[in-house]
Amino acid sequence: MGSVKQTFRSVFQKFQRKGFVIRSFEEQNDRSVSGHDMHRVLSAFDLVILGIGCTIGAGIVVLTGVAAHDLAGPGVVLSYVFGGIAAMLTAFCYAEFAAAYPVAGGAFNYISLTYGEFIAWVAACDLILEYTLSAAAVAKGFTAYLASLIQVDLSFLRLQYGLLTFDLPALGSVVILSLVLMRSTQESSTFNVVMVSIHILLIIFVICAGFPFAKAENYTPFLPFGMRGVFSGASVIFFSFIGFDTVSTAAEECKRPSRDLPIGIIGSLGTCTVLYVLMCLVITGMQPYMDIDINAPFSVAFDAVGLHWARTVVALGALAGILTSLLGSLLGQARIYVVLGRQYLLPPWLARVSERSGTPVNAAKVTMITAGLLALLFDIDVLAELVSIGTLVVFAMVCSGIIFRRYWVRGEGEPLRPIGLRLVAVSVASIAFSISFTEGAPVAVPICMLALWAAATASFLMLPVRYVPETYRCPLCPWLPSLGMLCTLHLIGSLGWPAYLRWIIWLSLSTLVYLLYGLHRSQGEAQSKLSLIAGEGIVSSSHHELGRSMSDAWDSLPSSAHHPDGAGIDSETLEHMPLVGVTHGRQGIIQDVQLVGLRTETIL
């Protein structure tokens, strides 16, 4: 019993020591474990096309019918406008981070550099949900639209055995696109450009073919469910905008990341919003909102006006959108694995980059296996709800991170309390607004919550600005990122308790993995030992195996060996430690580290 308590105490102390330590960008950008750099082959145009392909999937074809028929009526057009604005608020925040920190891993890096390793690990696990489950769900959609295109029953292509399925077309789509990604980023980008071009042309065709059949009377009443219905519709269709964040994960493959990443993120999202609004105007004009089919709105609408052949065009466009969305999810997930491998939060072989192709082949293989098996064997409709809440949590973290880094900089000695309390106030006011609005409270209640949110946001202006980006800067800070927090937290509040419960279970499992593995193996653990031994600042973390040897040696020592002020260990223990010599130079300072664990001399 005593040993169990000692183990728990040791883990808790280690968690306190390193779970929220904020490392420098140089440490976060250490790529030594990857062996080779990924090839920089993507231009701003490639990134815009990648973002469009990841964002416009088959969701627009289905979600529009649900939102128009049940929630907003013709006002679903405004739902897409508000959803696009909410997504754009987050996109501005992503663009600032991406321009300043062009590293594979996207939001994981941004949050790690802002809030520390543990919060970044939580975000990474949410991103794994977003990309892996999205890839599996989209692959399932590939089978459904393939059956529609070749006009066979879905059961012919997908066998169902209770909760299990056997879906070979879904597996095949994952495997083929994974092989394309492993071959080279340039070739996968070319494939993506071709498929996105086909998809956009088909969307434009649907818009042009449908508008002549639109009738003005179908737009009346425009808001049959009021503005509450418009916002409820926005909560549903918002997930049609998810995907632009994949652009940030490809940062290491951009030719000019500081310029191209903001263009890719904002340009792709703006294009998607315009196309979505035009498609909504078509479908709500072709049929009265109560007649819009919730499963296949565009196909049924074209059938109703006699254009039966258009069903095939819609199915072909959906297939093109599914393939580009699937490609983006597989690419994004592999890059998340790369950065987690570099930080030793997952096995480091995931971070290896092929010298020939310049792609993370090991990470792509793991992504292919996990997403492929889920697509082949499981009906993941329930698990797919986790994608929504996990992605929104990450979006809220990124928006809050922009505010945090404006008013607090590591190492300047500023207290965390002023900025921390203000961020908590913004979060609480946003959640309270969401609950009061969703539960139908009197109008005065959500208005009061909005006033509290505005007051909390305005209070940031009382703090001195500590950091101004040198490249792209998110406009109207703190108002714009705070509004992004309000929108994302409001959308989280609309998801319901089942989604919260599933996310809490996933969070608990993720935390357990971190406490049992990542906490003891990560770069931050090895780095913190190096810093303690050197007695100052930060020592280069390029030799991770060396750092982990030091970490293991440290943990094997009795607690009495640790110096009470944390600067090193006592001299008696040092005298009995074996030595291994390693020399590493950095920025004019040569550090001769002699160790199996901890003995060190620093030579300037």
Side-chain angles (χ1 to χ4, degrees):
M1 189 67 177
S3 61
V4 174
K5 288 183 178 179
Q6 185 175 359
T7 300
F8 276 114
R9 186 181 299 110
S10 175
V11 170
F12 180 71
Q13 290 174 346
K14 186 178 291 187
F15 179 77
Q16 284 184 309
R17 186 172 71 244
K18 69 179 289 285
F20 301 95
V21 171
I22 301 172
R23 296 192 293 275
S24 68
F25 174 64
E26 287 73 19
E27 297 170 83
Q28 195 75 17
N29 194 32
D30 181 24
R31 309 175 192 177
S32 57
V33 73
S34 292
H36 305 279
D37 287 340
M38 288 183 267
H39 296 171
R40 293 191 177 276
V41 295
L42 300 179
S43 65
F45 175 76
D46 293 323
L47 294 177
V48 171
I49 295 298
L50 175 64
I52 293 173
C54 295
T55 304
I56 302 182
I60 178 63
V61 181
V62 177
L63 292 178
T64 303
V66 175
H69 186 277
D70 297 336
L71 300 172
V76 71
V77 174
L78 296 181
S79 296
Y80 271 99
V81 171
F82 288 129
I85 291 173
M88 190 64 75
L89 295 173
T90 307
F92 281 124
C93 298
Y94 263 89
E96 179 179 314
F97 272 123
Y101 306 127
V103 188
F108 169 83
N109 291 297
Y110 313 154
I111 296 169
S112 178
L113 291 164
T114 305
Y115 296 124
E117 181 177 275
F118 174 67
I119 302 299
W121 168 257
V122 171
C125 292
D126 286 335
L127 291 172
I128 289 172
L129 278 178
E130 175 186 349
Y131 292 124
T132 303
L133 292 182
S134 290
V138 167
K140 288 285 191 183
F142 174 83
T143 305
Y145 278 97
L146 180 62
S148 174
L149 184 65
I150 62 178
Q151 297 182 356
V152 300
D153 191 85
L154 180 59
S155 60
F156 181 77
L157 298 179
R158 179 190 299 161
L159 303 179
Q160 190 81 32
Y161 301 98
L163 296 178
L164 297 179
T165 66
F166 191 74
D167 196 334
L168 283 177
L171 174 63
S173 64
V174 171
V175 171
I176 291 173
L177 290 183
S178 296
L179 293 176
V180 171
L181 285 170
M182 289 182 218
R183 184 172 177 85
S184 82
T185 302
Q186 181 63 62
E187 291 186 14
S188 61
S189 175
T190 302
F191 173 83
N192 188 61
V193 169
V194 172
M195 296 307 298
V196 170
S197 299
I198 293 173
H199 191 198
I200 291 177
L201 286 174
L202 291 173
I203 288 176
I204 293 174
F205 173 80
V206 168
I207 293 171
C208 294
F211 258 129
F213 296 94
K215 299 178 181 178
E217 58 266 26
N218 289 336
Y219 295 116
T220 305
F222 190 71
L223 299 176
F225 303 98
M227 287 304 297
R228 192 180 298 274
V230 169
F231 286 113
S232 297
S235 299
V236 171
I237 59 85
F238 177 80
F239 308 109
S240 297
F241 293 95
I242 291 175
F244 68 86
D245 51 313
T246 306
V247 174
S248 66
T249 67
E252 289 182 24
E253 292 148 287
C254 301
K255 295 177 181 177
R256 292 178 291 179
S258 295
R259 184 187 77 96
D260 294 346
L261 283 169
I263 293 174
I265 292 171
I266 297 172
S268 61
L269 189 57
T271 303
C272 293
T273 302
V274 172
L275 292 175
Y276 284 166
V277 169
L278 291 175
M279 291 188 75
C280 285
L281 288 172
V282 168
I283 190 63
T284 54
M286 291 179 69
Q287 285 186 300
Y289 75 90
M290 69 285 295
D291 294 334
I292 294 176
D293 188 80
I294 63 174
N295 296 312
F298 287 91
S299 296
V300 172
F302 279 115
D303 278 342
V305 297
L307 298 180
H308 305 291
W309 52 269
R311 177 185 292 271
T312 301
V313 177
V314 172
L316 188 60
L319 275 177
I322 283 171
L323 289 175
T324 56
S325 180
L326 178 56
L327 183 75
S329 294
L330 295 172
L331 182 146
Q333 181 58 78
R335 274 62 183 171
I336 295 297
Y337 282 144
V338 167
V339 74
L340 293 177
R342 286 176 180 171
Q343 302 301 317
Y344 284 83
L345 289 165
L346 289 178
W349 56 266
L350 284 170
R352 299 296 297 176
V353 173
S354 168
E355 181 179 8
R356 181 187 62 82
S357 65
T359 60
V361 175
N362 292 341
K365 289 178 180 177
V366 171
T367 303
M368 178 182 69
I369 292 170
T370 53
L373 287 177
L374 284 171
L376 174 69
L377 298 175
F378 296 101
D379 187 354
I380 59 170
D381 289 343
V382 174
L383 289 178
E385 293 182 15
L386 285 169
V387 176
S388 302
I389 188 170
T391 304
L392 288 170
V393 167
V394 174
F395 284 1
M397 288 181 182
V398 171
C399 290
S400 69
I402 291 295
I403 301 175
F404 185 87
R405 71 200 297 254
R406 278 290 194 282
Y407 300 101
W408 190 86
V409 176
R410 182 185 67 166
E412 291 193 356
E414 292 294 322
L416 278 171
R417 185 181 179 87
I419 181 70
L421 289 177
R422 285 169 169 82
L423 283 174
V424 169
V426 168
S427 302
V428 170
S430 300
I431 293 171
F433 166 77
S434 177
I435 293 173
S436 61
F437 184 88
T438 305
E439 297 300 323
V443 176
V445 178
I447 290 177
C448 288
M449 295 303 103
L450 282 178
L452 290 175
W453 165 83
T457 303
S459 69
F460 285 106
L461 301 176
M462 301 170 61
L463 301 176
V465 174
R466 301 291 181 184
Y467 169 78
V468 177
E470 297 178 358
T471 52
Y472 177 82
R473 183 189 311 177
C474 176
L476 301 177
C477 188
W479 292 102
L480 191 147
S482 181
L483 190 57
M485 291 178 64
L486 174 66
C487 292
T488 51
L489 292 173
H490 171 56
L491 292 172
I492 290 174
S494 69
L495 293 176
W497 288 106
Y500 308 148
L501 180 60
R502 295 184 188 109
W503 184 77
I504 290 172
I505 293 173
W506 176 253
L507 174 63
S508 302
L509 293 174
S510 304
T511 301
L512 185 63
V513 171
Y514 177 76
L515 294 176
L516 294 178
Y517 182 87
L519 182 67
H520 311 283
R521 301 281 293 177
S522 71
Q523 176 191 10
E525 173 65 7
Q527 181 61 50
S528 64
K529 307 298 173 57
L530 278 165
S531 299
L532 288 171
I533 296 161
E536 64 166 326
I538 295 172
V539 178
S540 172
S541 56
S542 297
H543 297 290
H544 297 293
E545 295 295 339
L546 170 65
R548 265 206 325 284
S549 297
M550 297 178 68
S551 177
D552 295 340
W554 176 280
D555 293 334
S556 68
L557 291 174
S559 58
S560 59
H562 294 234
H563 194 283
D565 62 8
I569 60 174
D570 60 36
S571 57
E572 182 178 353
T573 303
L574 277 174
E575 291 301 321
H576 296 90
M577 292 184 64
L579 306 177
V580 175
V582 178
T583 301
H584 175 58
R586 182 185 183 191
Q587 297 177 353
I589 300 177
I590 301 176
Q591 293 165 334
D592 185 15
V593 183
Q594 298 177 312
L595 55 96
V596 167
L598 303 165
R599 185 170 180 178
T600 180
E601 297 176 4
T602 301
I603 304 174
L604 300 181

